[in-house]
């Protein structure tokens, strides 16, 4: 819905490209669900704001767990493997938490046949292994900002263990002290609901964190 956090001042046509961005010319694949798409912000998310600088390819899924043809893993496997990407940015999906998908465990092996893709962690490992095999590029998992969910916190808490095994990057907005100090007034501007940012939230709150993380890669 347009207005307040989705007011015209935050619309893409009013954003000035940063000509000196170190991301300029890079090809980034974003893998995510409604938060990556911008479901509560008129179809605009941090991906679109970053695209103004860099040009990004977006793949949108529903859950990390491989439940159907719209899951992250299924959609990822439909991406043309001949396309080259400089990095893949994957959302730690809130849908897995709200749908109470089993967390599962991190496998001792890196053999894709050993991953239980009906669980969150098994599917994450399958995604990481596939990206490393096909594109051999950096992978960054990003979290949502803090909301009331023990299930999502459990997912966030496993990211350092996945990093230890796989060498992934992490953009942890959930535990970011600066993000969690936001005032109630600003939070009302930034968020359309507990999970989904408005355009102002993406542009003013999330994008600087994404840029800082991605700048470190390049």
């Amino acid at each position: 819905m347009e207005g307040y956090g989705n007011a015209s001042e935050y619309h893409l046509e009013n954003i000035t490209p940063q000509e000196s961005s170190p991301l300029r010319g890079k090809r980034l694949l974003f893998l995510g669900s409604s938060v990556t798409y911008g479901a509560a912000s008129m179809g605009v998310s941090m991906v679109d704001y970053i695209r103004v600088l860099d040009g990004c390819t977006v793949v949108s899924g529903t859950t990390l767990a491989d439940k159907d043809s719209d899951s992250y893993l299924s959609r990822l496997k439909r991406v043309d493997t001949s396309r080259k990407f400089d990095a893949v940015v994957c959302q730690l999906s809130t849908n897995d938490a709200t749908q109470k998908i089993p967390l599962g465990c991190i496998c001792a092996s890196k053999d894709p046949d050993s991953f239980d893709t009906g669980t969150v962690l098994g599917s994450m490992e399958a995604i990481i292994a596939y990206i490393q095999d096909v594109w051999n590029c950096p992978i960054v998992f990003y979290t949502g900002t803090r909301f009331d969910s023990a299930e999502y916190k459990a997912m966030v808490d496993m990211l350092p263990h996945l990093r230890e095994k796989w060498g992934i990057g992490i953009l942890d907005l959930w535990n970011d002290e600066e993000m969690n100090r936001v005032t109630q007034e600003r939070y009302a501007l930034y968020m359309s609901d507990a999970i989904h940012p408005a355009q102002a939230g993406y542009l003013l709150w999330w994008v600087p964190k994404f840029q800082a993380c991605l700048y470190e890669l390049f």
Side-chain angles (χ1 to χ4, degrees), residues 3-67:
Y4 198 46
N6 291 326
S8 61
E9 63 187 286
Y10 308 116
H11 292 186
L12 285 174
E13 61 267 23
N14 295 319
I15 304 303
T16 302
Q18 299 176 12
E19 297 298 335
S20 62
S21 169
L23 299 183
R24 180 159 295 282
K26 302 298 183 182
R27 296 187 60 81
L28 309 177
L29 174 62
F30 281 83
L31 185 65
S33 56
S34 59
V35 172
T36 300
Y37 168 72
S41 50
M42 303 165 63
V44 174
S45 76
M46 72 285 166
V47 175
D48 302 283
Y49 291 116
I50 293 173
R51 182 185 291 122
V52 172
L53 303 175
D54 313 299
C56 299
T57 300
V58 182
V59 176
S60 183
T62 51
T63 60
L64 280 166
D66 193 24
K67 294 174 60 184

